[in-house]
Amino acid sequence: MKAVYKKDLKSAFTGMIGWVLCAFVVVVVGLYFTAICLQSGYADFSLVLYNTTFIFLVVVPLLTMRSIVEERRQKTDQLLLTSRASIAGIVWGKYLALVTVYAIPLAIVGICPLVMRAYGSVSLARSYAALLAFFLMGAAAIAIGLFMSSLTENQIIAAVCTFGSLLFLYLMPSIAGLISGSAAASLAAFTVPALDDEKPCAAQRRVLCAGGRPGRRLFPQARVAGGSVPEASQQPGAVRPVRQFCQRPVRHFFPGVFCFRGAAV
């Protein structure tokens, strides 16, 4: 695992990809830090990190697209698989190398709370806790990108798949706000209670009709003779509407919504 870790970490900074991504993260976070904390006067560094989560959509696909795809293209994956390192060690070595590349710009960004502390009262515990959460979020995104890189032999396809997955996760709160949380419950409430729309359902008869125990609980003063409700009782106005409700089909109350036989009413 150590050999794989050193090899991938060295290859990331041998070319330009590692340096460019580190500079991009530092510049973007620095701009938001200047605009939010220094110019606007907010003493909360978590606001800066919250507004810069979009950098995962750019940094992670470019950082992870070459991880395993490049090994397959150069035919060096066979050397790795036949080496003494296990498959888990190979994966962990590559993953930790990518996380290290991602952690370097965050270590530079960690100076920002100290700069604010020099000119005002800032909670360092809250600031560095937000920075830790930002780091863990990036580590999770890198794991997704590494997995996408193992599914294909093309760098562009790996980058596009990683970008699509992260974009879906980035927009998930907005998508969830468009879906009603009670839709499934409403559908079950309309479709489950009855099997025939011409006859009163069993649940309605048991609960609402005054012919059994539930009916006697609802209308204790109504007298039941032979399982039917007499029209002349101590409270005739209370029992008759309930009986009429049970005898009406569901489509009388919900016209054009559902039909329990599969066709719209």
Side-chain angles (χ1 to χ4, degrees):
M1 185 181 75
K2 292 182 179 180
V4 177
Y5 171 78
K6 292 179 181 179
K7 172 181 173 296
D8 283 22
L9 185 61
K10 182 179 179 180
S11 63
F13 291 100
T14 300
M16 294 295 296
I17 186 68
W19 299 103
V20 171
L21 293 181
C22 290
F24 176 76
V25 173
V26 173
V27 168
V28 171
V29 176
L31 289 176
Y32 276 85
F33 171 73
T34 303
I36 295 176
C37 296
L38 298 184
Q39 293 183 354
S40 300
Y42 289 97
D44 191 358
F45 187 65
S46 61
L47 294 177
V48 177
L49 300 178
Y50 175 79
N51 288 279
T52 56
T53 53
F54 67 91
I55 65 174
F56 296 140
L57 301 177
V58 179
V59 173
V60 174
L62 297 178
L63 184 62
T64 60
M65 66 179 185
R66 300 177 64 252
S67 181
I68 298 179
V69 173
E70 190 69 14
E71 300 288 349
R72 291 180 178 177
R73 190 179 65 85
Q74 296 179 357
K75 304 299 181 181
T76 56
D77 57 337
Q78 300 177 3
L79 296 177
L80 290 175
L81 295 176
T82 56
S83 62
R84 299 176 59 182
S86 62
I87 297 179
I90 296 172
V91 174
W92 273 108
K94 290 182 171 296
Y95 175 72
L96 292 178
L98 296 174
V99 171
T100 303
V101 175
Y102 170 69
I104 291 175
L106 293 187
I108 301 174
V109 170
I111 304 175
C112 296
L114 299 178
V115 174
M116 291 191 297
R117 186 63 179 268
Y119 295 98
S121 177
V122 179
S123 176
L124 293 180
R126 182 175 180 178
S127 300
Y128 285 108
L131 188 62
L132 176 62
F134 191 78
F135 169 76
L136 295 178
M137 187 182 299
I142 290 174
I144 295 175
L146 186 63
F147 173 72
M148 293 299 175
S149 178
S150 65
L151 299 179
T152 181
E153 296 182 357
N154 193 324
Q155 297 182 12
I156 304 301
I157 296 177
V160 170
C161 292
T162 304
F163 176 80
S165 302
L166 296 179
L167 181 63
F168 175 75
L169 295 176
Y170 184 78
L171 298 177
M172 185 176 290
S174 301
I175 297 174
L178 300 176
I179 301 174
S180 176
S182 60
S186 300
L187 179 61
F190 283 117
T191 57
V192 171
L195 297 177
D196 189 359
D197 61 342
E198 297 295 337
K199 297 179 181 180
C201 61
Q204 291 174 344
R205 286 199 297 266
R206 287 196 301 268
V207 177
L208 296 176
C209 294
R213 290 184 179 180
R216 287 198 293 269
R217 292 194 188 101
L218 292 174
F219 308 101
Q221 297 179 358
R223 297 180 180 179
V224 179
S228 61
V229 181
E231 295 184 359
S233 60
Q234 295 183 6
Q235 292 184 350
V239 179
R240 188 174 300 143
V242 176
R243 184 176 60 183
Q244 293 175 358
F245 176 84
C246 294
Q247 291 177 353
R248 291 180 181 179
V250 178
R251 64 184 179 184
H252 178 79
F253 301 99
F254 307 101
V257 179
F258 290 105
C259 178
F260 297 104
R261 291 177 179 174
V265 178

